Amino acid sequence: MNDTFLRACRGQKTEYTPVWLMRQAGRYLPEYQKVREKVDFLTLCKTPSLAAEVTIQPVDILKTDVAILFSDILIPVEAMGMKLEFSESKGPILYDPIRNDISVSRLRSIKPEEDVPFVMETIKILVGKLQVPLIGFSGAPFTLATYMIEGGSSKNFIATKRMMYQTPQLYAQLMEKITAVVIAYLQAQIDAGAHAVQIFDSWAGVLSPLDFERYALPYVKQLIASLRGDVPVIYFAFNAGSMLGLVKQSGAQVVGLDWRITLVDALGALGSDVAVQGNLDPCILFGTKELIKERVAGILKGASGAKGHIFNLGHGILPETPVENAIALVDAVHELSSR
Ligand code: CP3
């Protein structure tokens, strides 16, 4: 197996910088669209043969150094008892959002092998087929809580913050339930063969540093400390470049970065005992191939002092992205980082 990615996570020497793209399996690929024509998104997530097929697509087409399980962060939330739907226009919808103690107490804990068996089946298929490592993933407790409390995506997160500030004990109860589910869910993915796991904290950046430290970080710390097995953990707190000192306290071996901070500044805040992942603005892929190469070179240079570096975008690849530019990006990383 090509273990360049795993070595970079551990801060060991690599022949070149490994690269993958968040949301690398998705709508920008005609091959993905073709599978999606036949099934809706949730069915795709729950059908191991198809989920494995679309997981492999970007590895074959872009030549990335890692695969990421095809699924969604809201899959375990549905298993906790909330009704989930994906609408083409509005994104995810969770019915009967969690707003009071009755709805918190109704949430189920999960047994991943029984409640979401398709996830572990997909991982087992992939581990048998892939020549590169497989990343399993979950939403971070705070990000999952925002979807559960708001009932979907949100602009100002008023319901979430109202619960935090007005009924902190209820908020804590909810977070403890979610954290227990995420621990079981990620551990089951590791036990099924995932070589690394990433925790997506997509909405961490809507919190002040004080609130992040009080209402999100303790649960991420507990989660990371609870995972067993020799697998790197990547913590990606989006839009949190102003609080990397706190992000580092999560205990993750790898910290994901978005494009709002230079790698040099990020390394200044993080120090040299964690590896970093990132951090090209996904919109650079709408520029020319020359521009892509120039920006890749800049990021590689900025990462030269890092314990380890995994090249990635600073957030998910966008559906409108030209495939040839995604290919050019992966090629540029491999070529320019070759040692
Ligand atoms: O990276 C990969 O290739 C693995 C697959 C993956 C998906 N979602 C597939 C998906 C991963 C890692 C996720 C994580 C996810 N899901 C996050 C965290 C990352 C981030 O973007 O911040 C979040 C917040 C979600 C919740 C979610 N799922 C939203 C808000 C949406 C709608 C927006 C959109 O992009 O359509 C989804 C749907 C979704 N998840 C799609 C895919 C491929 C599109 C569904 C389709 O095919 O129509």
Side-chain angles (χ1 to χ4, degrees):
M1 182 174 64
N2 168 1
D3 68 344
T4 311
F5 162 77
L6 293 173
R7 281 187 279 134
C9 290
R10 298 187 168 114
Q12 298 163 351
K13 278 219 163 64
T14 59
E15 291 74 44
Y16 60 88
T17 301
V19 52
W20 67 283
L21 312 183
M22 286 187 275
R23 293 279 189 102
Q24 64 186 18
R27 286 165 295 186
Y28 73 105
L29 287 176
E31 292 82 353
Y32 172 85
Q33 301 270 20
K34 212 170 152 216
V35 176
R36 268 284 272 118
E37 272 167 23
K38 291 179 281 186
V39 290
D40 64 42
F41 174 62
L42 273 176
T43 306
L44 177 51
C45 292
K46 293 175 186 179
T47 311
S49 59
L50 294 179
E53 181 183 338
V54 300
T55 301
I56 296 170
Q57 284 174 352
V59 180
D60 287 343
I61 297 165
L62 310 182
K63 311 284 179 226
T64 55
D65 297 289
V66 205
I68 180 160
L69 169 73
F70 189 84
S71 184
D72 195 82
I73 59 166
L74 299 175
I75 290 286
V77 172
E78 186 184 44
M80 291 176 82
M82 294 187 79
K83 182 168 160 357
L84 170 65
E85 230 178 68
F86 281 90
S87 111
E88 292 291 332
S89 54
K90 284 195 280 181
I93 303 168
L94 286 163
Y95 290 87
D96 299 322
I98 308 298
R99 301 282 168 89
N100 55 39
D101 47 358
I102 299 166
S103 53
V104 172
S105 65
R106 271 199 206 118
L107 289 168
R108 291 197 293 266
S109 66
I110 69 164
K111 288 202 179 78
E113 313 289 348
E114 287 168 27
D115 296 316
V116 287
F118 47 87
V119 172
M120 273 56 73
E121 280 167 39
T122 305
I123 291 173
K124 285 176 188 158
I125 295 174
L126 284 166
V127 170
K129 281 193 176 170
L130 285 165
Q131 305 295 317
V132 294
L134 176 70
I135 302 177
F137 71 89
S138 168
F142 172 71
T143 286
L144 294 181
T146 67
Y147 283 102
M148 295 167 74
I149 300 168
E150 304 291 337
S153 298
S154 173
K155 189 164 182 305
N156 293 315
F157 299 90
I158 293 171
T160 305
K161 292 184 177 182
R162 188 188 283 129
M163 188 190 288
M164 266 180 192
Y165 302 140
Q166 285 202 9
T167 53
Q169 279 180 328
L170 182 65
Y171 175 82
Q173 254 178 43
L174 172 62
M175 289 294 280
E176 280 157 23
K177 275 199 154 172
I178 297 171
T179 305
V181 165
V182 174
I183 291 170
Y185 184 57
L186 282 180
Q187 191 63 53
Q189 293 184 41
I190 293 168
D191 294 344
H195 301 98
V197 292
Q198 175 154 325
I199 301 164
F200 285 92
D201 217 345
S202 306
W203 296 114
V206 307
L207 295 172
S208 68
L210 174 70
D211 286 341
F212 177 76
E213 186 172 15
R214 188 172 293 175
Y215 297 109
L217 181 61
Y219 305 95
V220 181
K221 272 190 193 165
Q222 188 199 337
L223 161 61
I224 293 176
S226 304
L227 296 177
R228 285 168 285 105
D230 184 25
V231 300
V233 176
I234 308 165
Y235 179 43
F236 176 55
F238 184 59
N239 228 329
S242 62
M243 39 192 188
L244 290 177
L246 294 170
V247 167
K248 185 187 166 170
Q249 288 179 28
S250 65
Q253 289 93 325
V254 184
V255 169
L257 299 165
D258 66 62
W259 64 93
R260 294 172 184 85
I261 187 165
T262 65
L263 283 192
V264 174
D265 285 350
L267 292 172
L270 289 168
S272 54
D273 54 343
V274 289
V276 290
Q277 175 174 281
N279 69 343
L280 187 77
D281 178 349
C283 287
I284 295 295
L285 296 178
F286 298 106
T288 61
K289 296 202 174 61
E290 291 70 37
L291 179 85
I292 293 168
K293 252 186 134 161
E294 176 198 325
R295 299 303 180 94
V296 166
I299 289 174
L300 291 172
K301 186 156 176 269
S304 56
K307 181 185 180 195
H309 177 218
I310 298 104
F311 199 103
N312 206 318
L313 301 175
H315 203 184
I317 188 167
L318 295 161
E320 299 83 358
T321 305
V323 178
E324 58 174 313
N325 286 0
I327 294 172
L329 168 65
V330 174
D331 286 346
V333 175
H334 285 154
E335 182 194 323
L336 298 174
S337 68
S338 161
R339 297 179 257 275

